[in-house]
Amino acid sequence: GAVVSQHPSWVICKSGTSVKIECRSLDFQATTMFWYRQFPKQSLMLMATSNEGSKATYEQGVEKDKFLINHASLTLSTLTVTSAHPEDSSFYICSAQPVPGLAGYEQYFGPGTRLTVT
Amino acid sequence: QKEVEQDPGPLSVPEGAIVSLNCTYSNSAFQYFMWYRQYSRKGPELLMYTYSSGNKEDGRFTAQVDKSSKYISLFIRDSQPSDSATYLCAMSGNAGGTSYGKLTFGQGTILTVHP
C-alpha cells in the first residue's frame, strides 16, 4: 500500500516551453501533497505544499507564477513549470500525506521526475 | 547553520557490518523523526518513523531519538549490498498549523555495502 506515482518519469523540453508533472496517490487519499526539488548529490528542498481544493503554499524563494501547482482531487496534484529555463533542470519529487488520523504523520514519496531543459 | 546536519559520507562498509548513521538538529520544535532510503534516481522510501524520544526497532533497523541532545541515529544490523543507497533523515514539528507535514531533510549519507 501507500503508493505514489509520478508522470512523466523523465522529460526533456526546450527553453521557454512549459511542462506539466503529475503526482498521484494510487491507493489512499491525500489532502496534502508536497513538491520537492533535488539537485545532484543534494538533499530535497521543499518547494510548496499543496492542499486539495485550495491554493498552494510556496516556500520562500520559490516563484509561484513559475511553478504552478494544482491539487484538483484527493489523489492528484500537478506541477507545471512555465517558461522553463536550463536552471530549472532538476529532479522533482512529490509526496503525499495520508488523511490525518489514518496513517500517522508519514509522507509517501513518488519516484521523481527528471526534467532537462535544453 | 543548517537546521539539520548530516554527514554526507560516503560511508563504505563490508557486508555484515553494523552501520551507524546519525543527524543532529537545532530546532527544538521538531517532534517527528523519519529515516528515508533513496536509491539513485528514485524517490525516497520511508524506513522508520519515530515520535519524540526513544527507540524503535524494525527488523535489521533501529532508530533512536535523543531530544535532549538533539541527535538521532539509525542503525543497520547485518548490512547487505542491497542496503547500498543514500539515507536521509527528516524531521517535522507539531501537528497542526502552517508547518504541519513540512519535512526538513538532512543532506543524506551515501552508504555502500560491499560483498
Side-chain angles (χ1 to χ4, degrees), chain A residues 36 43-44 109, chain B residues 3-7 21-25 30 32-38 44-48 63-65 70-74 86-92 103-109:
Chain A
Y36 295 84
S43 191
L44 283 76
F109 285 80
Chain B
E3 277 193 296
V4 180
E5 298 276 0
Q6 183 177 7
D7 186 342
L21 306 167
N22 53 73
C23 292
T24 58
Y25 63 96
F30 288 143
Y32 299 87
F33 304 91
M34 279 69 69
W35 285 96
Y36 289 87
R37 177 173 62 194
Q38 185 178 25
E45 169 195 0
L46 179 66
L47 280 178
M48 300 286 286
Q64 289 184 350
V65 175
K70 296 189 176 67
Y71 186 91
I72 71 169
S73 300
L74 177 71
T86 297
Y87 289 80
L88 298 146
C89 63
M91 308 176 188
S92 190
L103 297 181
T104 301
F105 281 86
Q107 188 177 349
T109 299

Side-chain angles (χ1 to χ4, degrees), chain A residues 86-109:
Chain A
E87 57 265 31
D88 298 324
S89 298
S90 188
F91 194 50
Y92 291 87
I93 306 174
C94 72
S95 71
Q97 190 167 50
V99 174
L102 295 180
Y105 209 78
E106 307 100 302
Q107 290 181 25
Y108 296 94
F109 285 80

Side-chain angles (χ1 to χ4, degrees), chain B residues 92-115:
Chain B
S92 190
N94 287 326
T98 57
S99 64
Y100 185 69
K102 289 175 63 172
L103 297 181
T104 301
F105 281 86
Q107 188 177 349
T109 299
I110 300 171
L111 170 68
T112 302
V113 181
H114 51 86

Side-chain angles (χ1 to χ4, degrees), chain A residues 39-50:
Chain A
F39 291 105
K41 297 190 178 182
Q42 294 190 25
S43 191
L44 283 76
M45 297 299 296
L46 180 65
M47 298 176 65
T49 302
S50 166

Side-chain angles (χ1 to χ4, degrees), chain B residues 7-83:
Chain B
D7 186 342
L11 181 62
S12 181
V13 302
E15 183 175 357
I18 297 174
V19 176
S20 173
L21 306 167
N22 53 73
C23 292
T24 58
Y25 63 96
S26 58
N27 188 344
S28 57
F30 288 143
Q31 297 282 348
Y32 299 87
F33 304 91
M34 279 69 69
W35 285 96
Y36 289 87
R37 177 173 62 194
Q38 185 178 25
Y39 293 111
S40 181
R41 299 176 181 255
K42 300 290 185 183
E45 169 195 0
L46 179 66
L47 280 178
M48 300 286 286
Y49 153 59
T50 308
Y51 171 71
S52 194
S53 286
N55 296 353
K56 190 172 185 178
E57 188 173 319
D58 184 1
R60 296 185 296 111
F61 298 91
T62 299
Q64 289 184 350
V65 175
D66 182 350
K67 290 190 67 180
S68 63
S69 301
K70 296 189 176 67
Y71 186 91
I72 71 169
S73 300
L74 177 71
F75 297 95
I76 306 174
R77 292 182 297 280
D78 188 25
S79 56
Q80 303 295 312
S82 57
D83 294 329

